Amino acid sequence: MTESDMADSLILNPVFNRDGEATELPRFEMPQEMMLPGTAYQLVHDQAMLDGNARLNLATFVSTYMDDEALKLYMQTVDKNMIDKDEYPATAAIEDRCWRILGNLWHNPDVDHAIGTSTIGSSEACMLGGLALKRRWQAARKAAGKSTENPNLVMSTAVQVCWEKFANYFEVEPRWVPVTEDHLFLDGHELEKYVDENTIGVVAIMGQTYTGAYEPVKEISAKLDRIQADTGLDVRIHVDGASGAMVAPFCQPDLEWDFRVDRVASVSTSGHKYGLVYPGVGWIVWRDADALPESMIFHASYLGGDMPTLSLNFSRPGAQVLLQYYQFLRLGRDGYRAVQQGSLDVAQYLAEAIEQMGPFELISRGDTIPVFAWRLKAGANPNWNLYDLQDRLRMKGWQVPAYPLADDLADLTVQRIVVRAGLSHDLASRLLMDLRAEVDFLERLDAPMPREGSESHFHH
Ligand SMILES: Cc1ncc(COP(=O)(O)O)c(C=O)c1O
């Protein structure tokens, strides 16, 4: 066979009879030879098929649906690197517009003098928020001739893991305020026991990951006012609004949790959660230059101007920022309200139906962000637990995670549903049918369900 005959026969071979498909591939070594793009595509595509169906994944907060026009835009802009502001000044200008739009949405009193940026997600945004608090504290301590050793950050034990990372990576002591049956989230209760002269700030979560609960930023702030009156300590708040900062402005507009509360120094959110963009994009906005020390900003000159940048990453996709702007334009305030309210309605419909099934008690009802969780009632059938229900639902394609609550409440297992755009009322009623059938099955068990450590399935 000539070389060109060989090439022809490669292309002519039906895809699953080609090398790579019909032969064994090394798993952890790069193959020596090339393969046709069509074969490589099929191989990767088929492996990814084994993942769960993203739309039926009720564990994730991250967007799994966007309009076809957004997809088109995504494909056309997938090659843009956010950090290349020289090369992509129009994308940089849109980034600037987006965070100012958010600052405005979050009632920043003077968006012209605020500072903000896009990030890869809420985690990076929270790291930057925490770092700014730390720098600001250090500067004040230095100015007063005091030690800058042993900074601490006060937060609830129910924060998302990104705050543990922040404390660990940036060497700040996490001051954990425990969650208890009476105080399921940070509410200012006994805050004076945790705040001292080394406190760089307090984190308030808008939309607790475990339950969806909003931590009452205004009450926390009022408590910090009292602490300041008693001790002189002036402690600022970072609001981790990963989910809630894109829900509350539309669905609970009267709730004051943002820059309307004077102590709020910065607010972060995930564009890829209720910002309704595919992963990964996040946002952070600081109140003003005082909240973000100049020492954290890198100045790059671009197009004759000065482009301040601050980020932990260098290169990252620019397309998501354009997609965020697409959503702002496409939906506007009315559209965001409609989408989020639609998700809240589905969450509340599901929560009520689950409450009425009998064995469950709701921990939250989907009236903050469209997220709710439930537990088994005391005295429930001992032959099954929520991990079993999770596994039974998984067999029908639904991913509905069961997991232990944070630290002090770790004995308490809950199950959670995150409703996102795309979980229609119709799909939700189908979920309820499956849920009822599986609960019936489990309730009829007269011996314990065999199981092997399904706890490991949980991920935020
Ligand atoms: C409250 C909270 N903060 C931060 C994060 C981390 O967000 P990201 O996945 O965008 O980094 C999450 C993710 O679930 C969250 O719920």
Side-chain angles (χ1 to χ4, degrees):
M1 241 200 277
T2 66
E3 253 182 44
S4 96
D5 286 346
M6 260 165 63
D8 277 355
S9 85
L10 265 177
I11 298 169
L12 282 175
N13 258 345
V15 60
F16 297 113
N17 297 80
R18 293 182 194 159
D19 281 359
E21 287 283 11
T23 57
E24 188 147 345
L25 267 183
R27 286 189 124 202
F28 302 118
E29 269 171 55
M30 191 182 285
Q32 188 61 41
E33 288 164 10
M34 294 184 267
M35 66 172 72
L36 290 169
T39 321
Y41 165 81
Q42 199 66 45
L43 275 159
V44 181
H45 170 272
D46 291 2
Q47 289 290 323
M49 221 162 56
L50 294 167
D51 283 337
N53 178 329
R55 294 275 302 282
L56 301 183
N57 176 359
L58 306 185
T60 184
F61 285 79
V62 175
S63 298
T64 45
Y65 174 82
M66 288 190 84
D67 296 335
D68 287 345
E69 287 76 4
L71 264 180
K72 185 165 136 195
L73 191 61
Y74 200 171
M75 293 204 290
Q76 290 166 351
T77 57
V78 74
D79 54 356
K80 287 183 196 287
N81 184 352
M82 197 62 239
I83 199 70
D84 283 341
K85 309 213 182 208
D86 262 344
E87 248 175 279
Y88 308 116
T91 300
I94 284 178
E95 180 196 29
D96 191 69
R97 252 190 237 185
C98 284
W99 71 252
R100 285 180 201 279
I101 286 173
L102 289 171
N104 184 272
L105 197 63
W106 299 332
H107 299 93
N108 188 295
D110 183 5
V111 174
D112 289 342
H113 291 98
I115 302 181
T117 184
S118 69
T119 60
I120 196 74
S122 273
S123 298
E124 187 190 7
C126 291
M127 306 284 154
L128 294 173
L131 278 170
L133 289 174
K134 185 178 170 191
R135 278 289 165 88
R136 193 177 168 279
W137 170 83
Q138 283 170 331
R141 297 281 293 176
K142 272 191 198 136
K146 292 183 176 159
S147 160
T148 54
E149 299 284 303
N150 306 319
N152 68 66
L153 181 67
V154 175
M155 54 196 156
S156 126
T157 47
V159 293
Q160 208 261 355
V161 66
C162 71
W163 289 105
E164 288 175 56
K165 285 190 187 169
F166 168 75
N168 180 332
Y169 296 167
F170 297 104
E171 303 191 337
V172 171
E173 176 204 341
R175 283 270 164 96
W176 299 119
V177 180
V179 288
T180 60
E181 293 266 5
D182 292 337
H183 300 276
L184 280 169
F185 42 78
L186 191 77
D187 56 8
H189 174 70
E190 297 193 329
L191 200 55
E192 68 283 1
K193 289 193 179 164
Y194 300 89
V195 169
D196 63 21
E197 60 173 3
N198 290 333
T199 300
I200 63 171
V202 172
V203 176
I205 308 282
M206 279 293 284
Q208 212 190 43
T209 319
Y210 294 78
T211 61
Y214 286 161
E215 293 185 339
V217 178
K218 222 176 154 181
E219 280 174 36
I220 295 169
S221 173
K223 187 60 174 277
L224 288 171
D225 288 347
R226 289 202 290 284
I227 292 173
Q228 183 169 12
D230 292 345
T231 64
L233 299 171
D234 178 11
V235 177
R236 300 297 162 97
I237 298 172
H238 174 84
V239 180
D240 173 1
S243 306
M246 291 308 289
V247 176
F250 309 109
C251 299
Q252 300 102 8
D254 297 331
L255 185 69
E256 293 181 25
W257 59 274
D258 51 12
F259 291 111
R260 282 169 289 184
V261 178
D262 287 342
R263 282 192 189 277
V264 171
S266 43
V267 177
S268 57
T269 197
S270 296
H272 55 218
K273 292 183 181 139
Y274 291 97
L276 307 177
V277 177
Y278 287 134
V281 62
W283 299 96
I284 177 162
V285 179
W286 284 269
R287 177 180 290 277
D288 50 29
D290 178 49
L292 179 69
E294 174 65 24
S295 63
M296 275 179 64
I297 300 176
F298 289 79
H299 290 272
S301 53
Y302 102 111
L303 290 190
D306 169 56
M307 175 54 86
T309 70
L310 63 153
S311 58
L312 298 181
N313 301 286
F314 192 68
S315 298
R316 73 185 152 82
Q320 270 74 1
V321 167
L322 299 177
L323 290 181
Q324 184 75 76
Y325 191 51
Y326 165 85
Q327 288 292 40
F328 288 168
L329 294 180
R330 152 79 180 109
L331 292 171
R333 286 180 184 243
D334 289 349
Y336 265 97
R337 205 199 79 82
V339 171
Q340 319 299 37
Q341 191 57 51
S343 297
L344 283 168
D345 292 346
V346 169
Q348 287 160 31
Y349 160 67
L350 283 170
E352 272 167 40
I354 287 170
E355 187 175 36
Q356 282 163 14
M357 279 179 197
F360 309 118
E361 184 184 324
L362 294 180
I363 302 260
S364 52
R365 326 187 66 89
D367 51 9
T368 50
I369 53 175
V371 170
F372 66 99
W374 63 90
R375 65 199 274 184
L376 277 171
K377 279 184 184 159
N381 180 344
N383 289 330
W384 64 278
N385 62 27
L386 295 175
Y387 295 108
D388 299 319
L389 182 56
Q390 159 190 283
D391 292 346
R392 301 287 308 176
L393 287 170
R394 182 80 188 237
M395 293 195 307
K396 298 208 163 155
W398 301 104
Q399 294 184 47
V400 185
Y403 53 91
L405 275 188
D407 268 13
D408 302 270
L409 294 177
D411 292 343
L412 183 58
T413 302
V414 302
Q415 195 159 19
R416 182 190 71 189
I417 286 181
V418 178
V419 176
R420 302 183 304 279
L423 184 66
S424 62
H425 198 90
D426 184 55
L427 259 185
S429 58
R430 182 59 230 222
L431 167 65
L432 282 177
M433 276 172 59
D434 289 338
L435 199 52
R436 284 198 187 96
E438 295 313 324
V439 169
D440 280 352
F441 169 86
L442 291 165
E443 283 287 68
R444 285 199 306 270
L445 288 175
D446 47 20
M449 189 75 183
R451 62 179 72 100
E452 35 164 359
S454 6
E455 280 85 341
S456 61
H457 293 333
F458 175 64
H459 49 118
H460 288 300

